[in-house]
Amino acid sequence: MPAARRPLRHRLDPCIGPTLASVNALALEQASAGRGAALAFAYCLGLGVPFVLAALAFRKALGAFGWVKRHYVWVMRIGGGMMIVTGVLLLTGAWDSMVATMQGWSDGFTVGI
């Protein structure tokens, strides 16, 4: 079955699984039941609000999708170029140093909930 015809849940599984596992791990390891509920609620809001906003702004979203359709070739070229750059960074090991640098930016960060 083509990806466009598969149910939404099958297309979101790779994105939802690791994030939900992180939320559950934080809730179970470092928190009370109340904090776990707050984290799960924040996760649900982060997952659902974009869909609700897209539904409310459907007309405007059609205009954005129209722009992507008109510029499809360039969107695909830019996306492909980004994938190639990411692959080269992974092969050369530069990706690891970039990730380590970005992780350093959040050394003092703690979850506020």
Side-chain angles (χ1 to χ4, degrees), residues 40-60:
F41 180 73
Y43 170 77
C44 291
L45 281 178
L47 182 64
V49 168
F51 289 107
V52 172
L53 292 177
L56 292 174
F58 187 68
R59 284 273 178 217
K60 293 235 184 235

Side-chain angles (χ1 to χ4, degrees), residues 79-96 98:
M82 290 170 63
M83 288 179 67
I84 290 169
V85 168
T86 302
V88 169
L89 289 172
L90 285 167
L91 286 172
T92 61
W95 183 264
D96 293 333
M98 286 175 52

Side-chain angles (χ1 to χ4, degrees), residues 28-110:
L28 291 172
E29 187 176 307
Q30 302 176 358
S32 65
R35 183 169 180 207
L39 287 170
F41 180 73
Y43 170 77
C44 291
L45 281 178
L47 182 64
V49 168
F51 289 107
V52 172
L53 292 177
L56 292 174
F58 187 68
R59 284 273 178 217
K60 293 235 184 235
L62 284 178
F65 298 140
W67 183 89
V68 171
K69 282 173 100 173
R70 284 191 308 276
H71 298 90
Y72 179 75
V73 172
W74 283 106
V75 169
M76 293 300 289
R77 286 179 181 167
I78 291 170
M82 290 170 63
M83 288 179 67
I84 290 169
V85 168
T86 302
V88 169
L89 289 172
L90 285 167
L91 286 172
T92 61
W95 183 264
D96 293 333
S97 63
M98 286 175 52
V99 169
T101 300
M102 288 187 278
Q103 285 175 338
W105 298 343
S106 64
D107 276 344
F109 179 76
T110 58

Side-chain angles (χ1 to χ4, degrees), residues 3-35:
R5 299 189 63 200
R6 273 187 263 152
L8 184 62
R9 65 185 167 90
H10 293 302
R11 287 180 264 158
L12 288 177
D13 281 348
C15 302
I16 289 175
T19 308
L20 184 57
S22 299
V23 167
N24 287 336
L26 274 172
L28 291 172
E29 187 176 307
Q30 302 176 358
S32 65
R35 183 169 180 207

